[in-house]
Amino acid sequence: MNSECLACQAKTISHIASKFGSDKKVTAAFVEEANYIVSNSQSLSTPYSGLLLHRLAKRIFKTEDLYASEKLKANKILQLNYSHWKSLVSNSDNPLYVAAKLAVIGNIIDYGAHTAPDDIVSEIEHLLQKEFALNESEEMFEAIKNAKSVLYLGDNAGEIVFDKLFIETLNHPNLTFVVRGEPIINDVTFEDSQYVKMEDVCKVISNGHDAPSTLLENCSSEFQKLYRDADVVISKGQGNLEGLLNEKRDKLFFMLMAKCDLIAGKLGVKKKDLVIKQNKK
C-alpha cells in the first residue's frame, strides 16, 4: 500500500465509526485498533488490509453484514428496473456490447471505494453516454464464444443485476458466477445471487473467502481448481483486479470503473474511466 491507499483506509475507518458509532467507548476502541491495523499494513495488499478492518468492525460492532441495508436497497432499485435495462439491451444494435457496458457501469455502486451515488439510476443513465477509455470487449466476446468454460467473478450488490443481464445475453452453456464466502462491505454473497435469481442463468459458487477481492491463496480449493481450469475468467471490479493484477494467465479479462488514481495510472486511464482489458502474460 502507498500513501493514497492509507488515506483511503483512514476514510473507511471514519465512515464505519460514523455509521455504527452510537456508543462512544466502543467506537473509540474500534478507531484505536483500526488505526493500529492500518499503520502496520504497509506490507499487506490493500484488499487484505480492508479485510482486517471489516472483520474488526464486525466483531466490535457485533454486526455480521455491515452494509446489509445498502445492499438490499441497491438490489431492489436495479431489479425493479430490470425490464427497462433488458429492453435497452435487446433493442440496441449491439446487445452484447450494451450489456457489457451496463455491467461495467454498475461497478459505480461501491461503498468500499466510497463511490456509491445517491441517485443510482440517474448516474447509470449518465454513464451510458460515456465511452470506454480501454475497450477490449471484442477480444473478450471472441474468447467467451470459443470457451468451454467461463468463470465470472462477481463484485458488488446492485451491480449483480447487470451481471445477470450480461450473463443472460452471453448465453454461455457453462458459465459459473462467483460470490464472496461471507459478507464484506457491499460485495456479493449467495443472498444477493438468490435475490436476483442468478441461478436461473448460470451456476453460482462461493470463493470461500471474505476479502473484498479475489486473493487466490486464501480461496477454497474448489474455487482455485475452477480458476485454473476455466478457459476464460472475467474479473469484475477494482477489488478483484487488485487481487489478480499480477496473475500470469491467458484469457483473464478485467471489467471495471477505475476508482482511484493509483489503479487508473496502472491501467493507463483516468479515475472514473470505464475499462474492459485483457490481462497480459
Side-chain angles (χ1 to χ4, degrees), residues 9 40 48 59 66 84 86 93 110 114 125 133 141 181-183 195-196 202 223 234 245 250-251 255:
Q9 299 290 41
N40 290 276
Y48 196 80
R59 174 171 61 81
L66 296 168
H84 165 69
K86 188 168 183 177
D93 293 334
D110 190 339
H114 315 289
E125 296 284 5
F141 298 152
E182 294 179 28
Y195 185 87
V196 304
C202 65
F223 171 79
I234 300 171
L245 190 58
D250 287 327
K251 305 296 187 297
M255 299 178 66

Side-chain angles (χ1 to χ4, degrees), residues 85 88 98 101-102 105 123-131 274:
W85 308 120
L88 188 72
V98 175
K101 191 173 187 180
L102 280 170
I105 289 170
E123 184 66 11
I124 290 166
E125 296 284 5
H126 169 71
L127 289 170
L128 273 169
Q129 311 308 313
K130 188 180 176 82
E131 296 299 325
L274 308 178

Side-chain angles (χ1 to χ4, degrees), residues 64-134:
E64 280 305 305
D65 195 342
L66 296 168
Y67 291 86
S69 60
E70 291 89 344
K71 290 167 65 181
L72 182 58
K73 178 183 176 182
N75 285 337
K76 279 184 174 179
I77 289 172
L78 294 193
Q79 187 72 4
L80 280 170
N81 289 279
Y82 194 80
S83 59
H84 165 69
W85 308 120
K86 188 168 183 177
S87 176
L88 188 72
V89 168
S90 57
N91 292 328
S92 70
D93 293 334
N94 190 339
L96 210 50
Y97 173 80
V98 175
K101 191 173 187 180
L102 280 170
V104 172
I105 289 170
N107 191 222
I108 190 66
I109 309 168
D110 190 339
Y111 291 92
H114 315 289
T115 61
D118 292 328
D119 188 339
I120 294 172
V121 174
S122 176
E123 184 66 11
I124 290 166
E125 296 284 5
H126 169 71
L127 289 170
L128 273 169
Q129 311 308 313
K130 188 180 176 82
E131 296 299 325
F132 279 97
L134 270 177

Side-chain angles (χ1 to χ4, degrees), residues 4-5 7-9 11-12 15 46 50 54 67 107-117 155-156 159 184-187 212 237-239 242 256-261 263 271-272:
E4 186 176 344
C5 300
C8 188
Q9 299 290 41
K11 191 174 180 181
T12 295
H15 179 78
T46 304
H54 285 86
Y67 291 86
N107 191 222
I108 190 66
I109 309 168
D110 190 339
Y111 291 92
H114 315 289
T115 61
D155 190 27
N156 298 319
E159 177 182 347
I184 178 74
I185 321 178
N186 65 313
D187 288 27
Q238 182 170 300
E242 289 179 65
L256 70 147
M257 172 182 283
K259 305 285 177 56
C260 69
D261 292 325
I263 294 299
K271 186 177 177 180
K272 295 188 177 179

Side-chain angles (χ1 to χ4, degrees), residues 144-167:
I144 292 170
K145 186 174 79 171
N146 295 320
K148 291 181 180 177
S149 61
V150 178
L151 194 65
Y152 193 116
L153 311 181
D155 190 27
N156 298 319
E159 177 182 347
I160 191 175
V161 174
F162 287 150
D163 292 327
K164 181 187 175 185
L165 178 55
F166 180 39
I167 291 168

